[in-house]
Amino acid sequence: MAKILIVDDDSLARESLARIIKKMGHEASEAGSVGSAREKLKEEAFDLVFSDVRMPDGSGLDLLPEIRASSSAPEVIIVTGFGDPDGAELAIKKGAWDYIEKPLSVKPVMLCVERALQYRDKKRTASQPVALKVEGIVGASPKLRACLDTLAQAASSEANVLITGETGTGKELFAWAIHRNSARSGRNFVVVDCAALPETLVESTLFGHVRGAFTGADKPRDGLVRQADGGTLFLDEIGELSVSIQRAFLRVLQEKRFRPVGGGQEVSSDFRLVAATNRHLEDLIRAGGFREDLLFRLRTLALELPPLREMKEDIKDLMLHYLVRFCEQYDIPMKAYSPDFLEVLLNYDWPGNIRELIQALEKAIISAKEEPVLFPKHLPDHIRIHLARAAVLQKRAPTPSPETGPAAAGPALNLKDFREAELTRIEKNYLSSLLRRTNGEVGEACRISGLSRSRLYTLLKKYGLKPSG
Amino acid sequence: MNLFVLIAENGGTSGRFLEDVTPLVPQDKIEVLNGSLALAERLRKPRDPFCAVLVLGPSHEDLRRIISLRDFLKDARVLLVLGDESEETISLAHRVLPTYISVLDESTSGVVSVLKQLMKDARVHERDC
């Protein structure tokens, strides 16, 4: 008998779902809000959670990572009455087992429950506790733990992996960890830095060349694809590869055979592919800069690394880790930090993500010289200025709106602050009317605005706006 | 962007690489280091956020030492110019997670063009900041 939690503010929907579940011989528990679901998840272990999307105190989609991160890590089925394909996509991306629409009918619900529980059973018997080697990956936030789950899944398979994430989120670190934990760890992990290789070098670097293939090719040379034989080939910044190289690489990926530059004979290489990019490959495909068939091949497994601003609970651990590391590196006594130092780190948005945090900490340690305690003044100026400006703006123009916008404050603000506040107001107005015009259809809103899906969601979140669903 | 050029013990014939990369980087940004111990010492001092390390003719021991420095080399782009292409050398070289690998008896053009690309990226980054 499995324990199933139903999270829905609609008591009738909850009750009818509970009836179906009990009829199947399982135990049903109910929560009428996100808050109450959180409490129940803390108190009890569940095998499966049905969660509605829209509830008065929050969204089931936002609750999803917390459910997955709770100690029993139940499977999640998202239920909604709004028929929103983007919500479905988001649910799956966030790790939901499945997605069903209201009104619920008995058979699909029973099938869904049965399959989810079967999957959970199999997962439980198959998974043996394995200690992942994850040097350098620091933190314990639910989002990071979800990434580590995918890492473990990737390491135990031979599937191609596509790692995405903003710059500085640690894509190479995860790629390396996948290799280190895989059956190929005894062989080469070969990095191809697609952004650093000029177009003229890419082909011979990847595929090697025979003697005399071009001026200066005095000797034959193996390319990186050959050197990855038996190991892992990591294509970093794959979005930077030219379309012609993408075409050549697609063939290599399909056949694991290729021809070195100037060569007549094919060479084989049994490599496992991990690729990474900070670009939105779907947007690139639309612009003709990336091959759709290559993307399909690449993302057998997808690992999306969240930006640091979405994992702020990891900042303290990261700070402590790197303080120790830099103090060792510079051979200086361990430094303490003031509470406001940590507060600044927590309040800043870190557009450059973990890499920017690491650089800021290194700069702070260098600036502090002999001082034993780190204060905000030791951090890079641009961080302190950014926060100071945000604080001033908040005080002076707390809620810019069309009616009372910063224009009303007029000369009370300096030009920069005024411009920033006006831009904020205009952006919010634009997004509100965009949602009205598209009836909250995210796909249509992306098409009209030219924004990527993730950028649109980020902006909607920033302004507290909601698409349909 | 700092460029550290590490001339290892086996790097005897590497003069032409040094000659060809020197004009690419401002004089105050290029530092020539003799041996991997000197590199380890240098990495304990402050440097620009963007930094490249060009290693000329490293021995296996040098490569092992550079691997052990990998934590300090995060965000540094490493360009390796190897003395040979034996399986062991290539295997050790990849453990450094280099941006580019060349060999001493090859033309310098690959290293030069990768370095130019890195300099360009660093300039864009510095401008954006």
Side-chain angles (χ1 to χ4, degrees), chain A residues 207 225-226 252 256-260 265-269:
Chain A
F207 306 126
V225 175
R226 178 83 183 106
V252 179
K256 298 283 164 85
R257 297 184 70 76
F258 60 94
R259 204 165 292 190
Q265 295 245 311
E266 288 205 326
V267 178
S268 68
S269 175

Side-chain angles (χ1 to χ4, degrees), chain A residues 12 68 97 275:
Chain A
L12 282 176
R68 299 285 298 136
W97 159 260

Side-chain angles (χ1 to χ4, degrees), chain A residues 232-259:
Chain A
T232 304
L233 185 71
F234 173 48
L235 288 186
D236 198 5
E237 303 299 356
I238 194 167
E240 309 304 319
L241 274 188
S242 71
V243 175
S244 65
I245 296 289
Q246 289 172 31
R247 190 183 313 119
F249 194 76
L250 179 67
R251 191 174 160 262
V252 179
L253 206 50
Q254 284 162 342
E255 298 171 19
K256 298 283 164 85
R257 297 184 70 76
F258 60 94
R259 204 165 292 190

Side-chain angles (χ1 to χ4, degrees), chain A residues 193 219 221 227 329-330, chain B residues 43-44 77 94 105-106:
Chain A
D193 191 339
K219 281 182 171 181
R221 261 197 86 186
Q227 290 171 359
Q329 179 174 338
Y330 293 118
Chain B
L43 291 174
R44 289 182 184 279
R77 305 303 190 101
H94 282 303
D105 60 3
E106 206 168 63

Side-chain angles (χ1 to χ4, degrees), chain A residues 78-141:
Chain A
I78 292 289
V79 188
T80 183
F82 293 89
D84 168 22
D86 296 309
E89 183 184 326
L90 203 60
I92 303 294
K93 272 188 174 170
K94 286 188 172 186
W97 159 260
D98 207 347
Y99 180 92
I100 53 174
E101 287 180 61
K102 286 179 185 172
L104 302 176
S105 35
V106 179
K107 266 195 176 171
V109 168
M110 288 175 78
L111 202 63
C112 208
V113 170
E114 218 169 86
R115 283 187 182 155
L117 293 176
Q118 259 174 16
Y119 167 75
R120 187 170 168 79
D121 263 1
K122 278 195 181 144
K123 197 168 76 172
R124 209 178 271 159
T125 39
S127 68
Q128 290 162 350
V130 178
L132 277 178
K133 299 176 193 115
V134 288
E135 293 100 301
I137 301 176
V138 180
S141 62

